[in-house]
Amino acid sequence: MAPTTPGKSVPKDRFPTLFATLKTQTYHDPSTRGPGSHTIRTIAWNPTGHLIATGSSDRTLRIWNPEKPQIKNSTELRGHTGSIERLAWNPIKEAELASVSNDGTCRFWDVRSKTCIASVPLGGEGLTIGWASDGSLALVGRKDDFLVPIYLTPESPPTAGNVLRQPLQTNQTLFNPIGPPSTLLLTTGDGCVKVYSWPPVPPPTTAAVNGLSPHHGTRAVSHSRSSTPAPQSISPSLQLLHTLHAHTSACVSLALSPTSRYLAIGGSDALISLYDTYDWICRRTLSSLSGSVKSVSFSWDGSYVIGGSDEGTGFDIAHVETGETVARVETTAPAPCLSWHPNGKYWIAYSGDSGGLKIVGAAGGGM
């Protein structure tokens, strides 16, 4: 069977045969900082798919060229003093990366110059980050369930706004996929996904208390490991638009399909629910995983979906429209972090197996 053309969708009936031809490439990082310490906690493709970043529990942050797996072709970015919990690329700048760490900072990097261009103190341990599609805002979630908005403009360094207190555990954030931020989705510890309007509504007394607008707070500290706490002002409020009662236990991860038609929600009940965003109805539920769903990801065309867990081995590829399993990737260890290539290829990056990052398809194949 002839190879497919990059950027052309593969129908369900041809997918199993073609996907089976893909070969897996390993990206080994020898610069570990202790036995068993180099656990990859987060992976992220840049918008074009030409680079992929990995963040680890031993504070290693590395940028890989997926077509050049040798360590000499990668870049290590140094600065964090704690575990790197989440990475996110600026959607409109292919070389700007944000990293969130339990050292209490969010760092912004220019990967071309290999430099940290700003370090924003969070006032607590960082857990997650969601970047608005227009690049104007990065929303960081802390482990104590506060949200820290960080505003980005061409005229000034990243600036932290007033923190938002959340009543429940918040595991992941997601903004609307097109244009300035207007809608925010949050996973919560009670099995729901909350849909809010953005921006937050400031309380009447905020200006009187601190003399600041919601879009101004503590400026970033460039090239610094500052421990200055983030602002702790009277919190603005998010206006609730809708609640999705998605799971019987905590919602852990979520992803919007590139077509914006479906929202995938991963739960600690080992299920992935697929919601139709037209009417917010759950169309199907996927149940092939063994434990909490730590990550979910759609293929570049929105036709297929995968989920990663820190229990069990291997993961299935499901057809979105039918829920059918069309292929499976076998692993020797749990693969909690995984992500499809964002731009025209059916490559899948995942963590968990020995040796480091692996990318299905990067070593060749007919797809």
Side-chain angles (χ1 to χ4, degrees):
M1 186 175 291
T4 61
T5 302
K8 184 177 181 179
S9 294
V10 174
K12 177 170 67 72
D13 59 338
R14 296 184 63 206
F15 190 92
T17 301
L18 290 170
F19 188 80
T21 68
L22 297 185
K23 299 176 182 179
T24 301
Q25 180 68 63
T26 299
Y27 302 76
H28 177 61
D29 189 344
S31 60
T32 59
R33 295 182 170 89
S37 65
H38 191 70
T39 300
I40 295 176
R41 298 187 61 83
T42 176
I43 58 179
W45 294 93
N46 80 332
T48 63
H50 292 126
L51 299 173
I52 187 168
T54 59
S56 304
S57 55
D58 66 353
R59 69 184 184 274
T60 300
L61 172 54
R62 189 169 294 278
I63 312 300
W64 299 90
N65 179 338
E67 297 183 354
K68 297 179 179 180
Q70 297 81 10
I71 190 71
K72 66 180 181 180
N73 296 312
S74 69
T75 299
E76 183 177 359
L77 303 176
R78 296 175 176 267
H80 281 298
T81 59
S83 172
I84 297 169
E85 299 296 318
R86 192 62 64 94
L87 300 170
W89 294 85
N90 188 327
I92 63 171
K93 294 182 179 180
E94 64 180 61
E96 185 175 351
L97 177 71
S99 57
V100 172
S101 170
N102 66 9
D103 65 7
T105 65
C106 177
R107 289 178 174 260
F108 294 85
W109 308 85
D110 182 340
V111 301
R112 287 175 176 163
S113 63
K114 306 176 184 180
T115 57
C116 176
I117 56 179
S119 177
V120 179
L122 301 173
E125 295 184 25
L127 176 65
T128 188
I129 184 172
W131 211 319
S133 61
D134 67 349
S136 66
L137 168 67
L139 186 64
V140 176
R142 297 189 333 210
K143 290 185 178 181
D144 59 0
D145 301 322
F146 280 85
L147 301 177
V148 183
I150 301 175
Y151 298 92
L152 300 99
T153 66
E155 297 80 20
S156 60
T159 301
N162 293 330
V163 297
L164 303 168
R165 182 191 296 272
Q166 297 302 296
L168 294 170
Q169 170 190 338
T170 301
N171 294 306
Q172 193 167 342
T173 64
L174 182 69
F175 283 104
N176 51 288
I178 300 174
S182 59
T183 306
L184 172 67
L185 285 73
L186 301 178
T187 61
T188 62
D190 62 355
C192 296
V193 171
K194 304 285 189 179
V195 184
Y196 294 99
S197 62
W198 188 272
V201 177
T205 56
T206 299
V209 171
N210 57 24
L212 298 175
S213 73
H215 286 209
H216 294 79
T218 299
R219 287 196 181 279
V221 180
S222 299
H223 308 284
S224 170
R225 297 179 182 176
S226 172
S227 59
T228 304
Q232 300 290 329
S233 62
I234 295 176
S235 180
S237 60
L238 294 170
Q239 302 301 300
L240 182 65
L241 301 176
H242 192 65
T243 299
L244 305 179
H245 299 278
H247 291 272
T248 57
S249 57
C251 291
V252 179
S253 55
L254 75 167
L256 189 66
S257 69
T259 62
S260 299
R261 176 64 187 274
Y262 289 102
L263 179 71
I265 306 169
S268 60
D269 54 8
L271 300 176
I272 299 173
S273 53
L274 293 176
Y275 274 78
D276 190 325
T277 59
Y278 289 166
D279 51 20
W280 293 119
I281 292 176
C282 181
R283 295 300 180 187
R284 54 198 58 89
T285 301
L286 310 178
S287 57
S288 63
L289 293 170
S290 302
S292 180
V293 184
K294 299 297 185 181
S295 59
V296 286
S297 179
F298 286 94
S299 59
W300 63 271
D301 56 357
S303 297
Y304 305 97
V305 65
I306 51 178
S309 174
D310 54 10
E311 297 181 34
T313 59
F315 56 90
D316 289 343
I317 300 172
H319 185 243
V320 171
E321 289 296 339
T322 64
E324 297 176 39
T325 297
V326 294
R328 181 172 175 82
V329 176
E330 297 293 348
T331 65
T332 59
C337 301
L338 40 72
S339 182
W340 287 95
H341 189 282
N343 193 16
K345 296 179 180 180
Y346 289 104
W347 293 5
I348 300 174
Y350 69 93
S351 68
D353 275 355
S354 60
L357 172 71
K358 292 191 175 183
I359 302 179
V360 180
M367 194 179 203

